[in-house]
Amino acid sequence: MCLIISFILLVLSVIISMSFIYPLPINDARTTRYRSLPWSTYLLISINAIVFLAWLGPDLYGSGDEPPNWPSYVNKISSYGYREDLITSLSGTETMGGIGALATFSSMFMHADIWHLFSNMIFLWTFGRRIEDACGHSRFLVFYIFAGMVANVGSVMLNPADRDIPGIGASGAIFGVMGAYLLLFPNGKIISLWGLGAIFRIPFAAVRMVGDSDVKLWRWAMPLPAWFLLLVYVAINIGPSLETIFWGDNTGGVDTLAHLTGFAAALTIFFFVRKDLLVRFLSGRTV
Amino acid sequence: MDAQTLFRQGVLAIRDQKDVAQGRKLLQQSLRLDPKNDMAWLWLTRTVSDTETRLKYIDYALKVNPANEHALKLKQQLLQHAVPAAAPPVAAPAASPPQPQVASVPAVSQPEPVAAVQSDALTMASPMKPSERKQVMQLLEQAEVYREEDNIEAAIGEWVSVLGIRVDHDVAIRNATGHLWKMNYREDARELIHRAIDAGTAVPFIYMTAIDMAEREHDYEVADQLRETIPAMPNAPEELIINIVDQHMEAYKMDQALKALEAAVESHPDSQVLLVKLGDVYTELQRTTEAMSCYDRAVRLGSRSTFGKEADKRLASYVPVLTDQERGSILLAVREATGFGIAAFLLGIQDAGLDLPSMSGLHWMGIGLSLLGGYFLVTATSSPQQRPLAGLLGGKIPPPTEIDPDEKKEVENTFGEAMAEDSQIPILPMAARYFLGFVGLVMIIAALGLVLNQSLGLVMDYTQPPYPESLR
C-alpha cells in the first residue's frame, strides 16, 4: 500500500514539475470529425508500452528479485537504436553489423526510461487521435513511421559532428504528428496542464469572479490554442537545434534536431490525409 | 423528453412555481415537438403580456381545435378589451407625424385615389426615365407639403399618383398604405399592396405588409398563401424569405418553414444564405444528412463569403461529405500512392548509408515498385471509383445506399468514413478490387524487400555491432 501511495505521489510530483514552466498537453478539446475509434494511436501506444515494459524495463529497473541488468540494456540500445556509424557504414564496403536501416523502425519504439515513455505517449494520445481521424487508420500509421524516419535521418544528416550515440524514442514521429496538427487544425484547442499559466490567470479570474461565481481562481488544466502550444514546443527546440546544425553535437540527451526534422516532416501530411479533407483544405475551408 | 412531459412541466412552472420564463421555454420546446397541442398554445398566452401576441397564440390554438372553449372565451375577452381601431401595420412610416384618430378623420371619398393606379404600371425593377424621375420627385415633394399641412387625403392622392408611375415605389407605397390603413380604408391599402405584388415587385416591405395586413385581420390562410408564394418567386429577396421562414419557425410551423425554404432554394439555387437557413431547419428537424448536404452546397458556392464561412463552420461539426468529384479523381489516388513512394525512398537512402549515389538499381526498382503497388492498393481500397479506370474495368454505378435516419449515427460510428453522397460514377467490381489489392500488397512487400535489401541481408546474417564509444 505504502509503495502504491509513494508511486502515485511520485507520478503526481513529476507531472507537476513537467507542467510548471511549459504547458503539458493532456487532451484534445475538440471532437474528431469521423468519430472512428483511433485504433492506430492505441496500437502505437500499446506497442511502445509493451516494448518498454516487457523488454527494456526489466533490464533497467529489474523485475521481481532480479536486479537491473545494465549490460543487457546497453546491448539492446546499441543494437536496435538508430546509430549514425551503423547506418553510414551501409554505403561502404564493410558494414558494422546490427540490423542496418531497420533500426529506423526499432528505434522509434524504444524509450530510455519510464518518464521518456510517459511524456511521449501523452503527446501521442493528445495529438494523434485527430490526425488519425484526418488520415484514416492505415495512412496515419504510414505517416507516423515516415515522420519518425525523417527525424532519424535529419538528426544524423544535419549534425556535422560524428555522433555515435544511439537515438531512441518516438518523439521524432510524434513531433511529425504535432506538426501535422498545426497545419491542419491551427485553431484547435488543447487541454493542457500549466502551472505558470495558472498563476498568470489568477488576476483575470479574480476580476471575472466578480460577475460570475462559477469562475475558479485556480485552474491547473486549461484549454490553450493549438498554434500557441505547438509553437512553444518548436521554439524550445529551435535554439539547441541551430547550435547542433552550426557547431555539431556529439553529446547525449534530448535530440532536439530530431524533434525539429520530425516536425518538418509534417509538410508531407498532404500525401496521407483523406481525399475529401485535402480538397477542403486546399479550398480554404475548415478541415 | 417527449412533448407531453415538456408541456406538463411548462404548466407546472407557470402555475405552481410562477416561473414564467422557464414555463415559456418548456412550452416552446413542447410545441416544437408537437405543434398540434392546443392547450400548450393556450398556456403560452400566459407568458406574454401584449394582446396582439396573445391573440395570435389563441388563433393557433383554435386552428388546431376550433371547439376549444377556453380559447374562444379568452379570445372574446381579449377582443373586448382591445382598442377598437386596429393599430397601424408594421408598414406604417416610422417618421410620419402622429395621425388623428379614426373618428376625427374627415370622410374621404371611397377608393378613388387607388383607382388612379394603372393595372399595368411598372415596378421599380425597370429603370425610370429622367422625365418620370422628375415627375415622381415633384409628386413626393407635393405629398410632403400636404402632409405637413395635415391634408392627408391630398397627400395620399400624390402618393397614389407616384404608384401610377411605379407601382411599388417604396416611399409612396409605405406612406399611402400606412395612412389608408390608419384611416380605416383597409381595402384600399390592401389593393395598393396587391397590385404591386401582382406586378411582380421585388420590394420586401410590400410582401411583409401584405402578410401583416392579413394577420391583423386574422386571415391566416391568406397570410400563409402569401408566405407560400413568395419563396418560389425568383425575384423574391433573400431577406424576405428568411423573414418568412423565421415567422413560420416562431409559430413552430416547421413543415411550412421547410416547404418555403425548399421552394426558395429551388428558385435561388446560388443563394448561400438560403442554403444555410435550409440546413438550419433540417438540423432543427434532426435530418442530418440533408442539413449537411445544404451546408456543403453553400460552402461550395464560395468559402470566403460570410455565409460560406457560416456554412463551413456548421459543416465542421458533422462528418464531411465525400463527393463524386473526389471519388473519381485519379490525381488524388496518385497522391496517396506517392506517400508510399517517398516512404520507400527514405528507406532506400538509409539502406544505402544515407548516400544518394550509393543507392543501387535494386533500391530504385523498389521505389518504383512501391509507387505502382501503392497505386494498386489505393485503387483497391480508398479510390475504387477513379474515372475512367473504374468504367473501363467493368465497373457499375453503385446502388443508392438505404440507411434509416435513426441508424445514421450508428453508421457514422461504425464506418468512420466520410458520409457518402449517393454516387453516380462506376465503382470497380469487387473481384477486381480484391485482385488489385492483393497484387498491390505483394508489390509493396517486394518493394520493401528491395529498398531494404542490404539491411535484410544483415538481419539474416546477424552480427553484434560494436558498442558506441559513449556506452563502453
Side-chain angles (χ1 to χ4, degrees), chain B residues 398-447:
Chain B
T401 41
E402 282 177 21
I403 300 171
D404 189 306
D406 295 339
E407 290 172 19
K408 197 79 201 172
K409 254 197 159 38
E410 191 60 40
V411 172
E412 284 170 20
N413 288 333
T414 314
F415 293 107
E417 283 295 333
M419 192 176 278
E421 273 181 350
D422 282 336
S423 179
Q424 301 301 321
I425 56 171
I427 187 166
L428 278 175
M430 218 51 197
R433 289 177 70 180
Y434 277 122
F435 177 74
L436 281 175
F438 177 74
V439 172
L441 204 62
V442 170
M443 285 170 103
I444 284 174
I445 292 168

Side-chain angles (χ1 to χ4, degrees), chain A residues 31 33-37 71-72 74-80 82-84 86-92 95-105 133 137 139 142 145-147 149-153 156-157 164-166 250 268-280 282-287, chain B residues 296 299-300 303-304 309 312-313 315-323 326-329 332-340 342-344 346-347 349-355 358 382-384 409 412-419 448 452 454-456 458-459 462-472:
Chain A
T31 54
R33 307 269 319 263
Y34 295 85
R35 302 180 188 97
S36 54
L37 189 74
S72 167
V74 170
N75 187 31
K76 285 170 185 170
I77 300 277
S78 317
S79 305
Y80 301 102
Y82 197 80
R83 288 171 60 186
E84 183 178 350
L86 299 191
I87 294 292
T88 49
S89 75
L90 292 168
S91 63
T95 59
M96 292 168 70
I99 58 169
L102 289 167
T104 200
F105 298 124
D133 189 57
H137 310 297
R139 281 184 296 254
V142 178
I145 302 280
F146 176 77
M149 287 197 294
V150 172
N152 281 336
V153 170
V156 167
M157 291 185 83
D164 189 22
I165 296 171
N250 57 5
T268 61
I269 188 68
F270 300 108
F271 289 114
F272 301 96
V273 290
R274 291 173 191 266
K275 60 180 84 168
D276 47 309
L277 189 142
L278 177 75
V279 172
R280 292 170 65 79
L282 295 178
S283 59
R285 292 157 57 187
T286 312
V287 293
Chain B
D296 198 64
V299 86
R300 276 167 204 280
S303 58
R304 303 199 193 280
K309 282 181 188 159
D312 192 30
K313 217 157 82 184
L315 203 57
S317 62
Y318 291 113
V319 176
V321 176
L322 188 61
T323 62
E326 288 149 14
R327 285 192 190 102
S329 167
L332 286 174
V334 170
R335 165 201 69 110
E336 275 181 53
T338 311
F340 284 97
I342 55 170
L346 208 56
L347 281 174
I349 199 167
Q350 288 178 93
D351 195 63
L354 298 178
D355 184 27
S358 298
S382 58
S383 299
K409 254 197 159 38
E412 284 170 20
N413 288 333
T414 314
F415 293 107
E417 283 295 333
M419 192 176 278
L448 282 175
L452 289 169
Q454 245 195 128
S455 304
L456 289 172
L458 284 175
V459 173
Y462 183 76
T463 52
Q464 176 74 36
Y467 278 13
E469 286 281 340
S470 54
L471 294 178
R472 270 177 211 166

Side-chain angles (χ1 to χ4, degrees), chain B residues 211-327:
Chain B
I211 293 170
D212 194 50
M213 282 175 170
E215 284 204 326
R216 276 169 188 278
E217 298 195 327
H218 306 286
D219 196 350
Y220 295 108
E221 267 182 38
V222 171
D224 280 350
Q225 271 171 11
L226 274 165
R227 285 198 187 99
E228 255 177 56
T229 323
I230 298 164
M233 293 163 60
N235 61 346
E238 290 168 339
E239 56 185 295
L240 171 63
I241 297 168
I242 295 291
N243 201 324
I244 288 170
V245 171
D246 285 341
Q247 286 179 4
H248 282 313
M249 288 173 83
E250 264 171 41
Y252 307 104
K253 294 177 182 169
M254 297 305 282
D255 288 352
Q256 288 184 30
L258 191 61
K259 214 168 141 189
L261 270 172
E262 281 173 343
V265 163
E266 213 163 287
S267 57
H268 303 69
D270 293 335
S271 164
Q272 284 182 308
V273 58
L274 292 177
L275 281 164
V276 170
K277 190 75 184 175
L278 182 56
D280 289 350
V281 173
Y282 279 133
T283 305
E284 188 99 351
L285 295 169
Q286 299 186 336
R287 288 165 66 175
T288 314
T289 318
E290 287 106 322
M292 281 174 57
S293 176
C294 289
Y295 296 140
D296 198 64
R297 265 179 73 188
V299 86
R300 276 167 204 280
L301 289 167
S303 58
R304 303 199 193 280
S305 64
T306 312
F307 281 95
K309 282 181 188 159
E310 271 302 309
D312 192 30
K313 217 157 82 184
R314 284 161 168 77
L315 203 57
S317 62
Y318 291 113
V319 176
V321 176
L322 188 61
T323 62
D324 271 354
Q325 206 180 353
E326 288 149 14
R327 285 192 190 102

